[in-house]
Amino acid sequence: MSDPNDENPVDARARRGRNLLLAAALVAFVILVFIVTIIKISHNISVHG
Amino acid sequence: MSTLEALAAPVAAPANVRAARAGDYLALLKPRVMSLVVFTAVTGLICAGRPMDPWLAAVAILCIAVGAGGAGALNMAYDGDIDALMRRTRRRPVPSGRVQAADARALGVTLSLFAVTIMGLAINVLAAVLLAFTIIFYVAVYTLWLKRRTPQNIVIGGLAGALPPLVGWAAASGTAPLNAWLLVAIIFVWTPPHFWALSLYTCEDYAAAGVPMMPLVKGVASTRRQILAYCLVLAPLGVAPAVTGLAGPIYAAVASLGGAALIVLAIRLLVGQGPAPAPAAASSTSAKTTLYTVDAGARPARDLFVLSLVYLFALFAALLGEKLAGVAPLVR
């Protein structure tokens, strides 16, 4: 492990890129669960009234 | 430093190795393999012929793609040592030191669990079970067990790469009928001649890594004979969907011509060249742009490798095109 304050700019940029990818993946996951939930609820309403 | 602080702190890359970028983690998912998996899975999903909510269809394909990516990351995590010895794979994130094997394993397990769970919750249990089986088979049976032990590694392990159309079919219909298994059988029988043709001119790499590919264990002549044998089985098997009510005339024509071309190239590989197409190393001048230079003796193997790729793509593209265009099957 290294101190974040000692990071060189290249490593810091790489870490920022990794963090952005992780953030994008988490947001995509939330959207995915939302879409699946809406579809499932809509289907159940149309079947069961 | 507490455990939490240790996890949160940036990981220092080894000396002379740059820190991992986001692209390195995406490379762990083997995007080129993933694209073929997605293509065959979409074909299976469409061939099922069941109306499916397009959003759920997209979720199913996403799960298959992420599952394939997770399996690819686990493969790279466990194969880092031998990947470092082969020119084709030594620049991958794990052998180059940019990503730790433990991180690749964690990514692979996380993505695999995510893919199977969402598939089970959002689509159906059968598709989730088949997806889980595919991932476990690729990692446990192929990567950990067979790859370093037997020249039949890609024969048996090829089942993992053959299953995506079945998973797609099951996702759409909740069933796994014989026509879906027929698509699996086509990819399963296609795999050995495809990879053996490649290994005929890259076997120096496999020898350096100690991977017992067929040409290294049984010899070049035996490998050529087995390639022809598999092509002789594959050609009629490729046409079979046209007589089982799955495919139409366009597919039948593509499969017939492609199968015949495969057999011709396999015969040329067997009888047309000298005793051994020496695997050719990339020269120092061409290494930057060309991974492997192929000498005249290895050309037939290279041609067969390329044609086999085109063949499989053409088969599934024809099948997919017919279904999307509403072309009636030859046999009802």
Side-chain angles (χ1 to χ4, degrees):
Chain A
M1 299 295 168
S2 66
D3 186 343
N5 296 321
D6 290 342
E7 267 186 321
N8 66 50
V10 175
D11 287 354
R13 201 161 49 244
R15 184 161 59 88
R16 186 165 179 271
R18 297 198 302 269
N19 290 342
L20 286 174
L21 178 68
L22 186 58
L26 289 172
V27 169
F29 178 70
V30 170
I31 293 172
L32 176 73
V33 171
F34 176 76
I35 289 173
V36 169
T37 304
I38 294 297
I39 291 171
K40 290 288 182 184
I41 290 174
S42 305
H43 177 73
N44 284 340
I45 290 173
S46 66
V47 171
H48 302 292
Chain B
M1 180 183 283
S2 70
T3 306
L4 195 60
E5 287 170 333
L7 285 171
V11 178
N16 302 322
V17 176
R18 67 167 170 76
R21 294 172 183 154
D24 291 320
Y25 286 92
L26 294 177
L28 285 174
L29 311 185
K30 297 192 175 183
R32 286 201 297 189
V33 174
M34 191 193 286
S35 64
L36 187 62
V37 166
V38 165
F39 178 54
T40 57
V42 167
T43 305
L45 188 141
I46 299 292
C47 284
R50 299 282 179 86
M52 189 179 188
D53 184 288
W55 285 102
L56 286 184
V59 170
I61 295 303
L62 177 70
C63 287
I64 294 170
V66 172
L74 287 167
N75 171 270
M76 286 207 204
Y78 289 114
D79 277 351
D81 56 338
I82 56 176
D83 282 351
L85 302 172
M86 298 193 284
R87 275 171 295 153
R88 185 172 64 86
T89 54
R90 67 187 173 198
R91 292 190 189 87
R92 285 176 173 176
V94 174
S96 64
R98 297 194 300 278
V99 175
Q100 299 299 305
D103 291 340
R105 265 197 301 276
L107 180 69
V109 169
T110 303
L111 292 182
S112 299
L113 288 175
F114 161 83
V116 172
T117 303
I118 296 294
M119 184 71 102
L121 291 174
I123 310 300
N124 62 60
V125 174
L126 177 63
V129 169
L130 287 170
L131 181 60
F133 176 80
T134 304
I135 296 168
I136 292 170
F137 195 89
Y138 183 66
V139 177
V141 177
Y142 173 68
T143 303
L144 293 177
W145 181 27
L146 297 174
K147 184 172 180 179
R148 305 180 191 214
R149 285 180 174 79
T150 168
Q152 298 296 327
N153 47 15
I154 51 110
V155 178
I156 304 166
L159 179 63
L163 284 170
L166 179 68
V167 181
W169 196 304
S173 67
T175 62
L178 285 177
N179 268 334
W181 284 101
L182 185 55
L183 298 180
V184 173
I186 289 170
I187 302 177
F188 183 72
V189 176
W190 166 88
T191 304
H194 173 72
F195 282 104
W196 286 339
L198 172 69
S199 68
L200 278 173
Y201 61 94
T202 60
C203 61
E204 273 184 343
D205 261 5
Y206 290 113
V211 178
M213 291 301 283
M214 191 59 76
L216 297 167
V217 178
K218 298 291 185 184
V220 170
S222 171
T223 305
R224 287 166 165 172
R225 284 195 298 274
Q226 293 188 67
I227 286 174
L228 176 59
Y230 272 93
C231 287
L232 288 171
V233 175
L234 177 59
L237 190 63
V239 180
V243 295
T244 61
L246 179 59
I250 299 168
Y251 176 91
V254 170
S256 302
L257 291 172
L262 270 184
I263 291 174
V264 167
L265 286 196
I267 292 173
R268 187 178 73 145
L269 180 66
L270 180 66
V271 302
Q273 297 295 321
S283 70
S284 58
T285 54
S286 63
K288 287 179 183 172
T289 54
T290 309
L291 194 57
Y292 298 101
T293 54
V294 182
D295 68 17
R299 186 70 65 186
R302 169 78 181 193
D303 291 346
L304 183 62
F305 170 74
V306 172
L307 178 71
S308 64
L309 259 183
V310 173
Y311 170 79
L312 190 70
F313 176 80
L315 284 194
F316 279 80
L319 199 50
L320 187 60
E322 282 187 343
K323 293 298 176 188
L324 292 176
V327 176
L330 274 178
V331 179
R332 287 186 184 275

